[in-house]
């Protein structure tokens, strides 16, 4: 098993929860003095400190961190962890359900990284209640081995708890571990730097809306990575993604990426895209290890996602949204499953998948056909591609997930590429700036297969440099899927 | 100060209706803020459900009734008699335990009951005594409304109560006092008590009566036929008895760089509030709304925000409700609403007008068109009057304001309501014109 533990430094600022780089002395976002946080002991944590029992796990343990429950909406605060969510583990760590080919990736992170001043931190694993600030002995130590290129992404993507309860191969995302108690220290406005941020997320001085969790999201899991950005012209990010890894019954790896684009003219498009991405991802994680053919699994995942989006239409609107248009929440969906020999794509709407071979001599290909007015015009032979895309109706989509969709037609396709390459899964926020497969291939870095997160960032950067007119979301998956760990050199 | 621990105090809620999307370079944010108070009057106020109130329960209140006793009240003699009966009816509507006084108004103010500079406490005995005392009311003398209000203020402030209210009846112009004196008195009394004002007959000045009601956050109306006074007084007193919280202010917080263009009450009537702002700490201001029972009112807030790039979002205003205290602090009533600004390049989003904003913009224009039309008509500009009143007919028809449309139809002959084509009537009853003018600010709510 490869060791992917992170150093024991704090993973997040105790004040503002901003992810930290190792070696930071002050938080880059709020300036919190990190030296004020007690440093974890440099010794193995078998020593009883502060009257607590030693931590019962070895550093190699994959801790099955439960993800917090799904946020209730864009404005709802993310739930915090309860220590009781933690499954018990023994010092061997072997009883934790793992799948072949899915080695431990869980870095040792603080049990309940409580900020100084947070009281009554409970730790179910110890049955001890602290009526004092959490002490460093709560931190579980990793070996001094440097961390893998999992370069502490800033993803704040949260996954459902039952995602964890599904296939046991679900890799653990260290970033889903949030502090036990939110810190109520006032945040300073990012716009005017003068006012504090009130509980609604607006500055008390200039009224500026503060960056939200979803404005920029990154996630990397072994060899798959995804980045989503609000872009430069939209006030919120209505895209969502989900990436995951699992294994087929024969033990060979399978990598999943789902990307969804909320339909802006509908109500709560951000909720729709999030629900669709999560649901499709979960459905695939359930079906693939059971031996369902990936193409069939993808079809079912799209259907499951559409049910999840349809269900949103019946939920009450949020108080803020007295929108004049009350359209049912809707979004597009595109997904890809990469195994050792097969590439399966599925989509509804105008989000796309591109295939870019490692050997750039071979032609890159677009693997999806948009459900859009322009694509239909071209397919029907009524217009040339250039004419169709020049029309203002070009981007009107003709297929989407949502209660008001006429008829759901999930498209799926399976490919057996004869050479290695990378799969780019993206929303129109990216492909508007690299429409043709050749253009896309030019933007994809040559080392995308080795550094998918870097490649995803480069692609998002390309869209932002081009104007960033829409939300941009892109996932990068190398083909063929390699056993986890092998890619993390 | 209202006691908010009492269960019969209404719960306030704030709803904001707006299109928050602005085009690139857009700077004006419009929102309709609906403030509703529920849970107070709905469980039954003292009038509708007296069994729920033992004496002294319910909000403590004091009421002063000001009756015009000028010489003109005897022409015709039924006016004075009807005013006496109306006052008696209002006294009968008083809840037990409410402090009250009756003032007879001429060029000076006289205490009719109970006298000696104090208030009576309503019960069977004092109600009887008060009605006896009304016999002393006789017409004779001039009209100086300011003196009546000053006496009412003095009497009302002598009681330690949460709701202070006046009811004022006049039949003539404020002839024995300069307009400046009346204005000074209104400025003094504003915020100390609320007052409904009624004009009986047709010899009074509409702008005087509506001005009193506006300054003192009450209602204004015409009672053209003196026989209708009793019913009107009863209804006014019932409304006053239904009030649960006094001195409520709409508090607007706006960020740095923004400017409040206007704040208007738009339902149930149009009332300009912009100039009545009282600063309440950094970037916050209070706009007085008077006392509240179980009711709902709408406000139109227009904020000018600094230009921002597409994709930006900001809070343009935060709306809350407070009861200011004398020492500068304020009790927050809990409810709040957010007025937002979001810049987008989606033309469909930024060009749509919120239906509530559109509706009340039309209602405010309707009130203005009626005012201007009647003023032009008085000034002899019949073409101008026809154009403005035609526009008013059009707006009233389009927005479904049937009451105002009916009143307009008594002043103009409607040829085509949809296009606003009208002819001025050659002969208009004075009462009809005054009714239209007095009620021009009445609005209807948006059709849901």
């Amino acid at each position: 098993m490869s060791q992917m533990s992170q150093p024991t430094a704090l993973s997040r600022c105790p004040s503002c929860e901003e992810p930290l780089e190792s070696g930071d002395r002050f938080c880059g976002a709020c300036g919190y003095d990190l030296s004020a946080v007690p440093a974890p002991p440099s010794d193995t944590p078998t020593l009883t400190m502060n009257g607590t029992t030693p931590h019962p796990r070895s550093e190699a343990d994959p801790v099955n961190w439960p993800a917090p429950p799904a946020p209730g909406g864009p404005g709802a605060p993310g739930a915090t962890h309860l220590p009781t969510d933690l499954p018990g583990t023994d010092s061997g760590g072997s009883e934790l359900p793992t799948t072949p080919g899915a080695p431990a990736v869980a870095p040792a992170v603080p049990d309940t990284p409580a900020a100084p001043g947070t009281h009554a931190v409970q730790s179910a694993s110890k049955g001890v209640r602290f009526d004092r600030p959490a002490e460093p002995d709560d931190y579980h130590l990793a070996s001094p081995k440097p961390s893998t290129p999992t370069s502490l992404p800033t993803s704040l993507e949260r996954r459902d708890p039952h995602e964890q309860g599904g296939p046991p191969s679900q890799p653990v995302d260290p970033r889903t571990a949030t502090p036990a108690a939110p810190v109520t220290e006032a945040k300073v406005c990012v716009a005017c730097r003068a006012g504090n941020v009130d509980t609604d997320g607006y500055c008390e001085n200039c009224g500026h809306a503060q960056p939200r969790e979803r404005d920029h999201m990154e996630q990397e899991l072994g060899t798959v990575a995804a980045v989503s950005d609000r872009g430069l012209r939209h006030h919120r990010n209505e895209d969502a993604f989900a990436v995951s890894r699992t294994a087929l019954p024969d033990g060979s790896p399978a990598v999943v990426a789902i990307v969804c684009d909320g339909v802006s003219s509908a109500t709560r498009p951000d909720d729709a895209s999030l629900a669709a991405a999560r649901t499709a991802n979960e459905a695939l994680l359930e079906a693939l290890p059971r031996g369902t053919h990936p193409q069939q699994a993808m079809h079912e995942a799209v259907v499951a996602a559409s049910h999840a989006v349809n269900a949103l239409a019946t939920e009450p609107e949020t108080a803020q949204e007295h929108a004049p248009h009350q359209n049912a929440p809707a979004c597009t969906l595109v997904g890809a499953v990469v195994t050792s020999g097969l590439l399966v794509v599925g989509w509804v709407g105008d989000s796309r998948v591109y295939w870019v071979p490692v050997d750039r001599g071979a032609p890159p290909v677009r693997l999806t056909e948009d459900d859009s007015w322009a694509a239909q015009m071209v397919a029907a032979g009524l217009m040339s591609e250039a004419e169709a895309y020049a029309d203002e109706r070009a981007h009107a989509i003709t297929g989407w997930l949502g209660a008001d969709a006429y008829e759901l037609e999930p498209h799926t396709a399976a490919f057996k590429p004869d050479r290695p390459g990378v799969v780019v899964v993206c929303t129109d926020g990216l492909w508007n700036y690299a429409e043709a497969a050749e253009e896309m291939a030019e933007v994809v870095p040559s080392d995308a297969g080795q550094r998918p997160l870097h490649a995803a960032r480069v692609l998002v950067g390309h869209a932002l440099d081009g104007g960033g007119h829409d939300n941009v979301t892109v996932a990068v998956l190398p083909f063929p899927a390699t056993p986890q760990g092998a890619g993390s050199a | 100060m209202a006691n908010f621990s009492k269960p019969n105090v209404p719960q306030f809620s704030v709803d904001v209706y707006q299109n928050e999307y602005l085009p690139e370079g857009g700077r004006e944010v419009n929102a309709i803020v609906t403030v509703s108070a529920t849970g107070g009057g709905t469980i039954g106020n003292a009038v509708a459900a007296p069994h729920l109130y033992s004496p002294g329960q319910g909000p403590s209140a004091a009421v002063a009734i000001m009756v015009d006793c000028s010489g003109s009240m005897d022409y015709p003699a039924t006016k004075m008699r009807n005013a006496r009966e109306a006052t008696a009816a209002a006294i009968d509507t008083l809840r037990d335990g409410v402090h009250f006084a009756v003032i007879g108004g001429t060029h000076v103010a006289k205490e009719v009951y109970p006298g000696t500079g104090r208030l009576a406490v309503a019960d069977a005995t004092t109600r009887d005594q008060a009605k006896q005392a009304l016999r002393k009311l006789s017409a004779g003398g001039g009209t100086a409304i300011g003196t009546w209000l000053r006496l009412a203020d003095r009497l009302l402030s002598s009681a330690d109560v949460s709701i202070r209210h006046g009811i004022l009846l006049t039949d003539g112009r404020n002839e024995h006092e300069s307009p400046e004196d009346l204005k000074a008195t209104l400025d003094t009394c504003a915020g100390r008590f609320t007052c409904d004002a009624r004009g009986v007959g047709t010899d009074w000045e509409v702008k005087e009566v509506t001005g009193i009601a506006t300054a003192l956050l009450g209602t204004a109306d015409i009672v053209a036929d003196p026989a209708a006074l009793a019913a009107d007084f009863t209804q006014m007193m019932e409304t006053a008895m239904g009030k649960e919280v006094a001195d409520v202010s709409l508090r607007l917080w706006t960020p740095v760089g923004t400017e409040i263009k206007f704040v208007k009450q738009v339902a149930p009537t149009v009332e300009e509030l912009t100039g009545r702002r009282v600063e309440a700490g950094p970037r916050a201001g209070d706009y007085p709304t008077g006392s509240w029972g179980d009711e709902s009112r709408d406000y139109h807030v227009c904020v000018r925000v600094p230009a921002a790039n597409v994709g930006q979002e900001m809070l343009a205003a935060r709306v809350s409700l407070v009861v200011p205290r004398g020492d500068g602090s304020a009790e927050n009533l809990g409810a709040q609403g957010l007025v937002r600004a979001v810049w987008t390049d989606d033309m469909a989003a930024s060009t749509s007008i919120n239906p509530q904003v559109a509706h009340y913009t039309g209602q405010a224009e309707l009130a203005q068109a009626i005012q201007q039309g009647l003023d032009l008509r008085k000034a002899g500009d019949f073409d101008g009057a026809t154009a403005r009143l035609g526009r008013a007919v059009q707006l009233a028809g389009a927005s479904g304001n049937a009451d105002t449309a009916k009143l307009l139809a008594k002043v103009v002959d409607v040829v085509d309501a949809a296009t606003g084509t009208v002819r001025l009537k050659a002969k208009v009853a004075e009462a009809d014109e005054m009714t239209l003018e007095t009620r021009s600010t009445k609005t209807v709510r948006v059709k849901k």
Side-chain angles (χ1 to χ4, degrees), chain B residues 4-365:
Chain B
F4 291 100
S5 63
K6 276 199 264 179
N8 57 327
V9 163
Q11 293 294 311
F12 282 85
S13 65
V14 173
D15 289 302
V16 175
Y17 300 89
Q18 67 162 148
N19 174 19
E20 63 270 39
Y21 294 104
L22 296 177
E24 188 152 27
R27 293 192 58 191
E28 200 175 285
V29 183
N30 284 284
I32 298 299
V33 177
T34 298
V35 179
S36 301
T38 51
T42 42
I43 60 163
N45 62 34
V47 179
H51 58 281
L52 291 175
Y53 286 80
S54 54
Q57 210 192 359
S60 55
V63 182
I65 305 171
M66 292 159 268
V67 184
D68 192 340
C69 295
S70 61
S72 59
M73 285 294 281
D74 260 345
Y75 302 95
T78 49
K79 228 186 324 188
M80 196 68 238
R81 200 177 69 228
N82 282 314
R84 255 189 240 118
E85 284 165 9
T87 308
I91 289 168
D92 280 336
T93 314
L94 284 168
R95 184 173 63 226
D96 276 358
V98 170
H99 299 254
F100 75 102
V102 181
I103 295 167
T106 57
H107 53 284
V108 290
K110 279 194 305 248
E111 294 179 54
V112 175
Y113 183 83
T116 66
R118 57 190 185 87
L119 294 163
V121 177
D123 59 28
T125 315
T126 53
R127 273 196 283 261
D128 267 350
Q129 288 172 351
K131 281 184 273 183
Q132 293 291 332
L134 290 177
R135 294 183 185 176
K136 287 187 286 184
L137 284 183
S138 61
T143 306
I145 295 174
T147 62
W148 316 351
L149 292 168
R150 276 196 294 275
L151 177 59
D153 180 32
R154 210 158 53 237
L155 293 174
L156 290 172
S157 59
S158 70
D160 180 23
V161 293
S162 53
I163 313 271
R164 292 187 179 85
H165 189 70
I167 289 176
L168 185 148
L169 178 73
T170 183
D171 81 325
R173 294 186 175 79
N174 194 39
E175 281 165 337
H176 297 88
E177 181 181 53
S178 71
E180 292 74 30
D181 284 350
L182 178 59
K183 177 158 189 324
T185 303
L186 290 174
D187 287 346
T188 311
C189 295
R192 294 173 60 83
F193 65 97
T194 54
C195 186
D196 294 326
R198 294 293 183 266
V200 61
T202 55
D203 295 327
W204 47 281
E205 189 65 48
V206 173
K207 288 190 172 63
E208 258 171 29
V209 169
T210 55
I212 291 165
T214 296
L216 300 181
L217 302 167
T219 62
D221 205 355
I222 178 171
V223 187
D225 178 5
L229 267 181
D232 185 59
F233 265 51
T234 305
Q235 188 267 322
M236 245 192 302
M237 188 60 87
E238 278 177 4
T239 306
M241 293 294 100
K243 298 292 183 187
E244 310 273 359
V245 188
D247 300 327
V248 177
S249 281
L250 192 72
R251 175 166 290 183
L252 281 191
W253 175 91
T254 46
V256 163
T258 57
E259 173 199 341
I260 293 181
K261 220 175 146 192
F262 62 78
V263 180
K264 274 181 209 168
Q265 179 184 291
V266 287
T269 57
V270 179
E271 296 288 349
E272 183 63 58
L273 295 174
T274 316
R276 305 187 70 165
R277 178 183 173 104
V278 178
E279 291 302 322
R283 295 181 297 283
D286 289 348
Y287 299 84
T289 67
S291 49
W292 287 68
D294 192 38
E295 60 190 295
S296 175
R297 305 182 200 170
D298 292 343
Y299 299 88
H300 186 166
V301 175
C302 180
V303 183
R304 226 173 127 72
V305 294
N309 292 328
V310 164
Q312 302 269 8
E313 177 186 341
M314 73 179 287
L315 186 63
R318 183 191 300 278
V319 185
S320 57
L321 292 162
V322 297
V323 176
R325 291 203 184 95
D327 57 2
S329 67
E331 180 150 11
N332 199 312
L333 297 180
Q336 74 156 354
L338 304 180
V339 179
R340 301 189 305 140
V342 177
W343 284 266
T344 178
D345 52 7
D346 179 353
M347 290 298 278
S350 63
T351 54
S352 79
I353 298 177
N354 177 282
Q356 306 260 354
V357 172
H359 174 78
Y360 283 125
T361 305
Q363 295 288 291
E365 191 195 338

Side-chain angles (χ1 to χ4, degrees), chain A residues 83-483:
Chain A
T84 47
D85 291 343
L86 268 181
T89 55
D90 76 6
S91 57
S94 52
E95 92 297 352
L96 265 186
T98 51
T99 346
V105 289
V109 290
D111 258 352
T112 48
T118 309
H119 294 275
V121 175
Q122 290 198 3
S123 173
S125 60
K126 300 190 189 94
V128 174
R129 181 189 160 100
F130 298 99
D131 282 316
R132 53 171 174 75
E135 290 296 330
D137 62 329
D138 278 342
Y139 299 138
H140 189 62
L141 279 199
S143 67
K145 190 175 167 184
S147 86
T148 55
T150 332
S151 58
L152 208 54
T154 56
S155 162
L156 294 165
E157 175 76 356
R158 295 189 173 167
R159 282 170 286 125
D160 262 352
H162 43 268
E163 203 174 293
Q164 295 284 341
S169 61
Q170 176 61 35
V172 175
D173 182 358
R175 295 158 316 248
T176 55
T178 50
V183 180
T184 50
E185 205 169 300
K187 292 183 200 174
V188 175
C189 173
V190 298
C192 69
R193 293 269 166 208
N196 289 331
V197 177
D198 63 35
T199 50
D200 303 311
Y202 296 101
C203 173
E204 288 174 347
N205 179 52
C206 70
H208 201 281
Q210 301 301 300
R212 301 186 180 104
E213 251 182 38
R214 285 179 69 173
D215 282 0
H216 186 87
M217 301 184 284
E218 294 187 1
Q219 192 175 1
E220 184 178 50
L221 278 176
T223 56
V224 55
V227 176
S228 180
D229 195 276
R230 182 171 67 122
L232 304 175
R233 309 278 283 179
H234 280 222
H235 74 287
R236 68 178 167 191
N237 190 355
E238 294 162 358
D239 286 358
F241 67 80
V243 293
S244 56
R245 296 178 59 98
T246 182
L248 302 179
D250 65 0
S252 66
V255 180
V256 173
I258 307 286
V259 166
C260 295
D261 180 354
V263 176
S264 291
S265 59
T267 310
R268 298 192 291 150
D270 48 341
D271 290 355
S273 60
L274 192 63
R278 282 183 176 163
T279 308
N281 184 45
E282 281 164 30
L284 285 164
L285 286 179
E286 195 148 322
L288 292 174
R290 281 204 314 253
T292 313
H293 188 278
Q295 191 169 359
Q296 178 64 25
M298 178 61 82
H299 181 92
E300 286 165 6
V302 175
V303 173
S306 86
H307 290 320
V309 177
N310 291 355
L312 293 176
T314 56
E315 287 176 16
E317 56 171 321
T318 54
Q320 263 189 0
E321 207 145 6
H322 296 291
H325 46 72
Q326 282 296 336
N327 295 338
C331 67
T332 73
L333 182 145
V334 63
V337 175
V338 170
T339 67
S340 50
L342 197 62
L343 162 59
V344 169
V345 299
W347 74 97
V348 174
D350 66 350
S351 299
R352 292 181 174 180
V353 179
Y354 289 87
W355 164 252
V356 179
V358 169
D359 169 16
R360 294 300 167 91
V365 189
R366 167 158 60 83
L367 302 181
T368 53
E369 283 293 336
D370 297 347
D371 286 324
S372 75
W373 183 88
Q376 286 199 341
M377 285 293 129
V378 174
L382 294 172
M383 277 180 159
S384 75
E385 193 155 309
E387 282 172 346
Y389 280 95
D391 194 283
E392 60 177 8
R393 292 164 290 185
H395 286 267
I397 56 172
T398 54
W400 61 88
L401 305 182
D404 58 354
Y406 301 111
E407 194 178 326
L408 179 66
E409 281 184 66
H411 315 286
T412 58
F415 304 91
K416 284 189 176 161
D418 57 356
R419 66 196 72 204
V422 291
V423 180
V424 176
V425 185
C426 63
T427 60
D428 59 347
L430 171 61
W431 67 250
N432 277 334
Y433 302 101
E435 203 277 318
E438 293 74 22
E439 293 173 274
M440 185 64 76
E442 270 173 41
V443 193
V444 174
S446 55
D447 63 349
Q450 287 77 50
R451 300 166 67 200
L453 179 62
H454 173 253
R457 285 175 178 160
V458 167
L459 289 167
V460 168
H462 175 74
L464 297 181
D465 289 346
H469 269 260
D470 201 349
N471 306 143
V472 193
T473 303
V474 56
V476 175
L477 308 80
F479 176 90
T482 49

